[in-house]
Amino acid sequence: MKKMSLQWRLTCIITLYIAVICGCVTMLVYKNGVYYMDSLQEAVDTRGDDQPDDAEEIYISIPEDKWDEFANDFSVQVYNNKADYRKNSLIISAVLALLGGVATYFISGHALRPIREFSDKIEKVQAQNLADSRIEENQVKELNQLSVSYNRMLERLSAAFEIQRQFTANAAHELRTPLALMQVQLDLYHSNRHPDNDADTVQMIKMVTEQNDRLNKMVKTLLDMSELQTVGRDDEIILDALVDEVLEDLEPLAEGKNIRLIGKCKDITMTGSDILIYRLVYNLVENAIKYNHSGGQVTVTADRKENHVYLSVEDTGAGIPEELKERVFEPFFRVDKSRSRELGGVGLGLALVREIVRVHDGSITVKSNPSGGTIFEVVLN
């Protein structure tokens, strides 16, 4: 039966089930009818002592003075038997229908198990595990055809993602050369004094320097995003030490805005990419500092619950509107465009954070801080 198609499998199961139910109903109704016919036979006084035991004829002798009484009792017995027969037949049919429904539920569940397994496999597919999400040949004909189509779709998606990644990496590499040349020229220009420059020239040079710096940061981030899949993720990370390192590296930026950095991390170790997890924490804390109020604070906490690591970065800034909390992870999306450009952001920091979380099979959510500000919560496996 394992080699049969799903259509034929269900057909055979339902046919067999109908045959069994019909047989049971016929047998029970027959037994029920025989029982009540026998009860009618017992209601009369049979006479046939001269008849053999296996005779099919039944001889009934009723005295004339008792005929009316017999007829009345016999009609009552027939009526009661008809009522009991109808009631018991309905009860038997209802019970068999109920039992049949329960049996069908479990039988169909067993027959459709390959579909559930197929669905569970598809549910686990992520962009970073396309190569590991292929479905092996299935013994059910329809699902085998679907598996082949599904695997071909994965191959096309994988190729498309690879082309996109290669394009991003190649574009970033190509941009690095002219940007590096521009930076060299700008550094050379800034290394000398230019007293003859007017205000417009000074302003233009300043603008070019700032935009070149932004482009360099953007190219570096794009390269990092394109290379996420190739970075090893088998480092043993001491998370509390990593968070302390991030806070120490960002202390000058926090002091410049009069913001207090607080680390509340327990002694936790996890397996992953040390470089990527550092970048994840760094980007979240840097964002929390940049978009915070002067005199505010940034709190980083880390804890382990069961088999998951919970990391949160909490700030006391202006917060993020509810309708924009999911969009902040989109590349180049900005909640406040004018302020983001003033702070030197390129719009890829949180997009990179989300990709780092994904390659570590985790999740990230944005919540509002009850005391004002935003909380980024990361769950890593």
Side-chain angles (χ1 to χ4, degrees):
M1 189 159 179
K2 291 183 177 180
K3 293 294 184 180
M4 296 176 67
S5 68
L6 188 60
Q7 181 180 10
W8 276 109
R9 182 180 298 192
L10 289 176
T11 300
C12 292
I13 290 175
I14 293 174
T15 302
L16 179 62
Y17 164 70
I18 292 174
V20 171
I21 291 298
C22 289
C24 292
V25 170
T26 302
M27 183 61 66
L28 290 173
V29 169
Y30 171 75
K31 291 291 185 182
N32 198 29
V34 170
Y35 169 77
Y36 286 111
M37 290 177 66
D38 290 342
S39 66
L40 287 176
Q41 181 177 345
E42 294 172 358
V44 299
D45 182 18
T46 58
R47 292 290 185 271
D49 296 338
D50 298 334
Q51 299 296 321
D53 293 340
D54 57 350
E56 295 183 359
E57 298 85 356
I58 299 176
Y59 295 89
I60 303 174
S61 176
I62 306 296
E64 291 188 8
D65 59 338
K66 295 183 179 182
W67 177 259
D68 292 337
E69 180 182 355
F70 166 77
N72 182 62
D73 291 342
F74 187 77
S75 63
V76 171
Q77 183 69 28
V78 169
Y79 178 82
N80 291 338
N81 283 3
K82 287 172 62 179
D84 290 344
Y85 182 80
R86 181 172 58 252
K87 180 182 68 175
N88 290 344
S89 297
L90 291 174
I91 293 174
I92 290 172
S93 299
V95 171
L96 285 176
L98 180 62
L99 293 177
V102 173
T104 302
Y105 177 81
F106 288 104
I107 292 172
S108 62
H110 177 75
L112 298 175
R113 183 183 301 170
I115 295 180
R116 289 200 303 272
E117 294 173 352
F118 191 91
S119 177
D120 293 340
K121 184 73 174 179
I122 293 177
E123 190 70 25
K124 298 176 182 178
V125 176
Q126 298 290 339
Q128 64 269 18
N129 67 350
L130 291 178
D132 300 328
S133 301
R134 291 178 57 85
I135 295 181
E136 300 300 327
E137 181 179 349
N138 201 293
Q139 294 178 331
V140 180
K141 181 180 178 181
E142 287 86 349
L143 292 185
N144 184 48
Q145 295 174 348
L146 188 59
S147 299
V148 172
S149 301
Y150 169 78
N151 290 334
R152 289 176 180 172
M153 181 194 69
L154 285 186
E155 292 173 359
R156 292 193 295 269
L157 284 175
S158 181
F161 283 130
E162 181 62 21
I163 291 173
Q164 183 184 36
R165 189 189 70 81
Q166 287 292 341
F167 174 80
T168 303
N170 293 337
H173 277 294
E174 291 297 325
L175 287 171
R176 291 181 71 178
T177 300
L179 288 174
L181 292 174
M182 291 172 62
Q183 188 64 48
V184 169
Q185 294 298 321
L186 289 170
D187 291 341
L188 181 61
Y189 177 85
H190 289 301
S191 65
N192 298 316
R193 299 184 61 184
H194 302 276
D196 298 334
N197 286 349
D198 56 18
D200 291 338
T201 302
V202 172
Q203 183 64 27
M204 183 188 68
I205 295 298
K206 180 182 178 183
M207 182 270 293
V208 172
T209 303
E210 290 175 352
Q211 296 304 316
N212 190 73
D213 184 57
R214 287 188 65 249
L215 283 172
N216 277 314
K217 291 180 180 178
M218 186 182 302
V219 168
K220 184 178 184 304
T221 305
L222 287 172
L223 280 173
D224 290 341
M225 293 180 69
S226 67
E227 295 172 355
L228 283 179
Q229 301 295 334
T230 61
V231 176
R233 297 187 291 276
D234 54 359
D235 301 326
E236 194 70 18
I237 305 170
I238 303 176
L239 195 57
D240 54 330
L242 184 144
V243 170
D244 290 340
E245 183 181 352
V246 171
L247 297 183
E248 184 178 347
D249 292 343
L250 288 171
E251 185 65 32
L253 178 63
E255 289 180 352
K257 294 196 64 174
N258 190 27
I259 293 173
R260 182 185 176 196
L261 301 180
I262 302 173
K264 296 181 178 179
C265 301
K266 296 185 178 180
D267 186 10
I268 300 172
T269 59
M270 62 169 290
T271 302
S273 169
D274 183 74
I275 296 174
L276 295 183
I277 297 298
Y278 175 90
R279 186 66 181 272
L280 181 152
V281 179
Y282 187 97
N283 283 9
L284 289 177
V285 176
E286 184 183 35
N287 263 25
I289 295 172
K290 286 182 177 180
Y291 297 97
N292 214 325
H293 297 305
S294 178
Q297 68 179 33
V298 176
T299 305
V300 183
T301 60
D303 194 7
R304 178 180 289 278
K305 297 178 182 178
E306 297 179 352
N307 296 325
H308 304 290
V309 173
Y310 291 81
L311 173 72
S312 70
V313 177
E314 176 182 338
D315 65 57
T316 55
I320 301 174
E322 191 69 30
E323 65 274 12
L324 300 179
K325 286 182 179 178
E326 290 300 320
R327 297 196 62 194
V328 295
F329 298 105
E330 297 177 5
F332 304 110
F333 179 80
R334 304 169 186 272
V335 177
D336 187 344
K337 292 181 172 57
S338 59
R339 190 180 178 199
S340 297
R341 293 189 182 277
E342 291 175 1
L343 296 173
V346 297
L348 291 172
L350 291 180
L352 179 59
V353 165
R354 183 176 62 177
E355 292 305 313
I356 293 173
V357 171
R358 281 183 177 177
V359 299
H360 284 84
D361 298 325
S363 62
I364 182 169
T365 54
V366 185
K367 298 182 179 179
S368 297
N369 191 344
S371 58
T374 306
I375 302 175
F376 285 86
E377 291 188 348
V378 179
V379 181
L380 300 172
N381 294 325

